Amino acid sequence: MRNKNDRMPWIPTWRFIFASAALWITLVLALPANAQNLVVQYDRAGNNATFFTANEAEANFIDATLAEAYRKRGPAFAAWVSAQRDTVPVYRFYNPVTLAHFFTADEAEKNALTATPAGRGWQYENVAFHVYRTPGEDRVPVGRMWDSNKSVHRYLVDPRFETLLPAPGVFVEGIAFYALKVGASNTPKSGNDAARFLTQSTFGIESAPQVVALERSGYDAWLSAQFALPQTSTMKYLRDVEARGERIEEQHPYEAVWQQILFGDDQLRARVTFALSQLTVISNVAPDQNNFALVSWWDMLGKNSFGNYRQLLEEVTLHPAMGYYLNMMGNQKEDPTSNRSPNENFAREVLQLFSIGVSQLNLDGTLKRDASGQPIPTYDQKVIEGFAKVFTGWHHGGNNTAEAQSFFSAKEAWTQPMEAWPAHHSAGAKTLFNGVTLPAAQSAEKDLRDALDQIANHPNVAPFISKRLIQALVTSNPSPAYVERVARIFNDSGSGTRGDLRAVLRAILLDAEARSPASADAAKYGKQREPVLRFTQLLRATGAKAANGRNSIWWLDSADDALGQSPLLAPSVFNFFSPNYSRAGAIAKAGLVAPEFQITTEAQVVGSTNYLHGVVFGGGAGYRDEGRLNLDFARFAALERTPAALVDALALLFTNAQLSDAARETIVQALEKQSADAGARTKTALALLLVTPDFVIQR
């Protein structure tokens, strides 16, 4: 059982902490500009002729002054601003008679229009952007059609272009060119971008060779390999502990989770599981959850991390850990004679937190507003009451659900989905949102399927879930355009599938805004690394291992003497922090959110810094010696005699090679004053790096 006295000692570093804490709010330098631009597509009002522009100033001008004439469809693809290897220019023409634009990557066609009588009437404008004439894994075909009804050309950006049937009077001319998919993958441009990618998609970079390997393989190969890896099972870990004759106690589920987080090969799955655990929250902070329910829950999230959102939503709903946490388990139907109403807890949170939020959203995640400028609610109390009735009559699986009385004494089954007792399910009609009413007398299973289908198909789901995952992995304040690009993939993965999380993750991590902060507003870009992520980066970069191959990390949720955050120990269903939290001052004035700053209190800054410094100077972490994770400083021994080289090596791992010159110089000078014996310089360098804004703020 949990014993506060088992916590590791720490080393007080008060003067240094308070000198450093003020830096944590700083959002640091952006990367160099990317040569790829997003190409925005418009439809000309009146004739639906397609217009493309890769020029942000031109797009802004159209949006501000010509919005009635050009209907914006949003980012269509990415293209190169200047010529690159294997690219060709796309030439742009304008016809003042039809008010249509024409685009071609064919040099001969361009010459014909500019040099022959047939081309008269077309005004050559410029090279619009650079693309490819041949297909590729990172490219999307842009098809060209002739609309004889309007006497204009139209373009279709779709990987299924060649299989789509045109409308009457519209004739397919073929593939005009191949453009880059939005956020198209390619080989990392430098070690720091490869390091940034690993920081966004794993629990920490292990070594420089790992970064080099990603540079050589490219993002697509890495993602494909991660998607193909088998899932690390925390349930198996617990069963193995049990098979060794140990009694399963409260700490063991956390030990199993930390084992996957720190040592599992399936790092992307683990990272996404952690993100989902903070979106669809259960907690054992009481603690009163069943130990096996906790690992079953974690594995369920992991199984669905690369699956479909609709399936995830159903498995979240029917998992007994969630049923217990938000009172759906044992939820009884209404009874007018006793004035009993169904419990509304799960109904409220599945809408507010797990799927659509409280206000209607545009596809780009911005709020829809009514005529008076106020946000439009997604649901009201009547809708909550309707969903609460849907979620009645469910309890532990594996029981005789035909016996009404057994509902109150159901045999526990914490690792299988809940099942329905017909006698305890509300039989009446149920009013949901958007005017949908489920008819009376449906089965509990039918009601549940229909209700979850309506939630999963709500237009809010794509921007809501997309933005939450972007915030968890990449940046707290993604641009609306970034959210919209990912939300479009959520709505249609390219093969007609809605809610394909594998496609969504690929879109998030490979988007131009994720790969180059310069493509976004640099002042708004970045996020604070969660305390858990700072801790795991430290352990993974130093090759921390226990002699018994396990760990005794367990719980680190205390802000006073640990991290102030720990998996499966959120203080409430609202997680450790709100995705909408903004810190008063410069951040709030800029209209930004800073979710992780909600737990960045004075106590947490002091407690977590002391804890991490205790891990560094104590050489390890863990509550018990047999599971203590010992840091391996020997891997940096060869660099200790050259402080600058040591700092640069650590900076790659901890700051993605983005350590500021001032911080680098300060750390190098500090190391030069120290002995090079027994890892002293490595420990000092780590202690200083851990509190730099370059590490604390993920860029």
Side-chain angles (χ1 to χ4, degrees):
M1 295 299 291
R2 185 172 184 162
N3 185 343
K4 292 279 187 179
N5 295 325
D6 283 340
R7 295 193 184 279
M8 289 186 59
W10 66 90
I11 298 174
T13 53
W14 301 90
R15 182 179 300 173
F16 186 77
I17 291 165
F18 287 116
S20 306
L23 298 176
W24 285 29
I25 206 168
T26 305
L27 296 178
V28 292
L29 299 174
L31 291 178
N34 196 331
Q36 293 177 21
N37 270 14
L38 295 176
V39 177
V40 181
Q41 180 175 347
Y42 295 84
D43 289 338
R44 176 77 191 195
N47 59 20
N48 287 329
T50 304
F51 174 69
F52 295 122
T53 180
N55 186 303
E56 184 177 0
E58 184 174 50
N60 290 339
F61 175 78
I62 292 172
D63 295 343
T65 63
L66 299 174
E68 292 186 4
Y70 288 90
R71 294 189 296 267
K72 188 174 185 178
R73 295 185 61 183
F77 50 83
W80 296 103
V81 175
S82 57
Q84 306 289 319
R85 181 179 178 183
D86 297 329
T87 64
V88 294
V90 170
Y91 305 103
R92 186 172 111 181
F93 292 82
Y94 176 64
N95 191 317
V97 177
T98 62
L99 306 180
H101 279 84
F102 175 72
F103 299 85
T104 181
D106 188 322
E107 181 79 15
E109 191 169 46
K110 177 252 189 180
N111 291 337
L113 285 176
T114 56
T116 66
R120 291 174 184 168
W122 285 104
Q123 299 175 359
Y124 175 64
E125 293 190 327
N126 50 40
V127 172
F129 39 77
H130 292 75
V131 293
Y132 300 88
R133 293 302 303 271
T134 57
E137 187 176 356
D138 58 350
R139 302 170 195 174
V140 62
V142 179
R144 194 173 84 191
M145 298 167 290
W146 170 250
D147 185 344
S148 64
N149 305 303
K150 303 290 186 180
S151 296
V152 299
H153 285 92
R154 292 167 55 194
Y155 296 79
L156 181 63
V157 184
D158 198 303
R160 300 162 296 166
F161 168 75
E162 292 168 305
T163 66
L164 296 176
L165 293 176
V170 179
F171 302 96
V172 173
E173 293 187 330
I175 303 298
F177 50 83
Y178 292 87
L180 289 165
K181 296 176 183 177
V182 172
S185 61
N186 47 48
T187 301
K189 297 173 180 57
S190 62
N192 66 334
D193 190 52
R196 288 179 63 253
F197 182 89
L198 291 171
T199 295
Q200 294 165 351
S201 58
T202 74
F203 276 94
I205 306 169
E206 292 181 293
S207 65
Q210 185 185 25
V211 177
V212 173
L214 177 58
E215 286 186 81
R216 291 174 177 170
S217 69
Y219 301 132
D220 258 338
W222 188 91
L223 286 170
S224 296
Q226 284 289 309
F227 289 143
L229 283 173
Q231 179 181 356
T232 298
S233 171
T234 57
M235 177 65 76
K236 181 180 184 303
Y237 186 90
L238 222 62
R239 293 299 188 193
D240 288 345
V241 170
E242 189 177 46
R244 287 192 285 267
E246 293 185 47
R247 176 184 174 182
I248 300 300
E249 299 188 40
E250 180 199 341
Q251 69 269 23
H252 288 117
Y254 311 125
E255 180 180 316
V257 168
W258 284 112
Q259 194 75 9
Q260 182 194 15
I261 284 175
L262 291 169
F263 307 117
D265 292 329
D266 53 338
Q267 279 290 293
L268 179 61
R269 187 188 298 273
R271 182 71 187 271
V272 177
T273 301
F274 183 52
L276 292 176
S277 77
Q278 299 186 82
L279 194 160
T280 57
V281 177
I282 68 161
S283 179
N284 197 33
V285 73
D288 53 6
Q289 286 273 11
N290 178 274
N291 291 324
F292 286 96
L294 287 173
V295 293
S296 172
W297 169 264
W298 187 267
D299 284 351
M300 178 274 295
L301 294 181
K303 181 188 72 173
N304 287 287
S305 290
F306 302 155
N308 188 276
Y309 173 78
R310 171 61 178 81
Q311 183 65 29
L312 169 68
L313 184 63
E314 181 166 329
E315 294 197 28
V316 162
T317 299
L318 293 180
H319 198 285
M322 177 59 77
Y324 176 76
Y325 187 59
L326 290 184
N327 311 117
M328 181 178 158
M329 179 184 287
N331 190 15
Q332 298 183 63
K333 66 182 180 181
E334 67 274 15
D335 181 7
T337 60
S338 64
N339 201 31
R340 183 182 69 216
S341 298
N343 188 290
E344 299 174 0
N345 204 4
F346 181 74
R348 193 176 305 278
E349 307 311 347
V350 72
L351 298 178
Q352 178 181 196
L353 301 176
F354 304 169
S355 60
I356 64 173
V358 297
S359 300
Q360 292 184 31
L361 302 174
N362 296 305
L363 189 61
D364 64 5
T366 58
L367 290 172
K368 288 185 176 180
R369 298 184 183 275
D370 60 21
S372 61
Q374 297 301 307
I376 305 171
T378 49
Y379 56 84
D380 57 19
Q381 179 57 27
K382 283 291 185 184
V383 170
I384 294 295
E385 292 170 2
F387 275 100
K389 291 178 181 179
V390 168
F391 302 129
T392 55
W394 296 85
H395 218 305
H396 280 294
N399 289 272
N400 184 357
T401 59
E403 290 185 0
Q405 198 61 28
S406 68
F407 184 77
F408 302 103
S409 57
K411 181 181 178 182
E412 295 181 355
W414 290 104
T415 62
Q416 65 185 79
M418 294 186 294
E419 295 178 3
W421 270 253
H424 294 279
H425 178 66
S426 176
K430 302 163 183 72
T431 300
L432 307 185
F433 40 59
N434 296 336
V436 173
T437 298
L438 301 184
Q442 287 197 149
S443 69
E445 292 84 357
K446 174 66 171 159
D447 273 349
L448 186 79
R449 287 195 301 272
D450 289 349
L452 295 184
D453 282 345
Q454 195 188 21
I455 294 173
N457 288 306
H458 191 283
N460 262 34
V461 170
F464 186 88
I465 299 299
S466 297
K467 186 172 182 179
R468 295 297 181 269
L469 290 175
I470 293 170
Q471 288 181 306
L473 301 176
V474 179
T475 181
S476 296
N477 295 278
S479 70
Y482 185 7
V483 174
E484 181 175 341
R485 292 192 294 271
V486 177
R488 288 185 182 277
I489 296 297
F490 187 104
N491 284 336
D492 185 344
S493 65
S495 59
T497 302
R498 177 180 173 84
D500 181 347
L501 295 180
R502 182 176 300 199
V504 167
L505 292 170
R506 186 181 290 273
I508 289 172
L509 292 170
L510 299 183
D511 190 88
E513 195 164 315
R515 299 279 43 87
S516 174
S519 66
D521 184 336
K524 298 179 180 179
Y525 193 86
K527 67 189 294 288
Q528 186 190 138
R529 295 192 203 220
E530 297 170 56
V532 162
L533 297 177
R534 301 204 293 273
F535 176 61
T536 57
Q537 176 62 77
L538 172 61
L539 296 184
R540 285 172 60 81
T542 55
K545 291 286 190 299
N548 65 0
R550 291 166 55 180
N551 74 86
S552 59
I553 302 298
W554 307 337
W555 42 75
L556 296 175
D557 53 311
S558 170
D560 295 332
D561 55 1
L563 299 178
Q565 185 191 30
S566 203
L568 300 177
L569 286 169
S572 75
V573 72
F574 294 95
N575 188 32
F576 290 94
F577 43 80
S578 166
N580 302 314
Y581 174 79
S582 181
R583 175 63 59 90
I587 293 177
K589 288 180 181 178
L592 304 178
V593 298
E596 296 82 3
F597 277 89
Q598 189 168 7
I599 58 172
T600 309
T601 63
E602 288 86 349
Q604 191 271 341
V605 169
V606 172
S608 64
T609 304
N610 278 338
Y611 176 77
L612 292 175
H613 283 187
V615 172
V616 171
F617 290 109
Y623 288 106
R624 293 181 182 170
D625 289 344
E626 62 269 23
R628 173 183 166 87
L629 296 176
N630 297 302
L631 278 57
D632 177 16
F633 298 120
R635 58 174 55 192
F636 303 110
L639 298 173
E640 289 225 336
R641 294 192 178 278
T642 312
L646 174 61
V647 173
D648 289 342
L650 293 174
L652 173 65
L653 305 181
F654 285 83
T655 72
N656 308 324
Q658 293 174 291
L659 184 64
S660 70
D661 291 341
R664 180 180 182 275
E665 183 62 24
T666 297
I667 298 173
V668 169
Q669 289 179 6
L671 300 190
E672 288 174 342
K673 297 175 183 178
Q674 278 196 306
S675 165
D677 298 331
R681 283 179 169 173
T682 298
K683 292 177 183 178
T684 298
L686 288 171
L688 294 173
L689 276 168
L690 290 173
V691 292
T692 61
D694 311 276
F695 172 63
V696 175
I697 302 299
Q698 175 184 310
R699 295 286 286 160

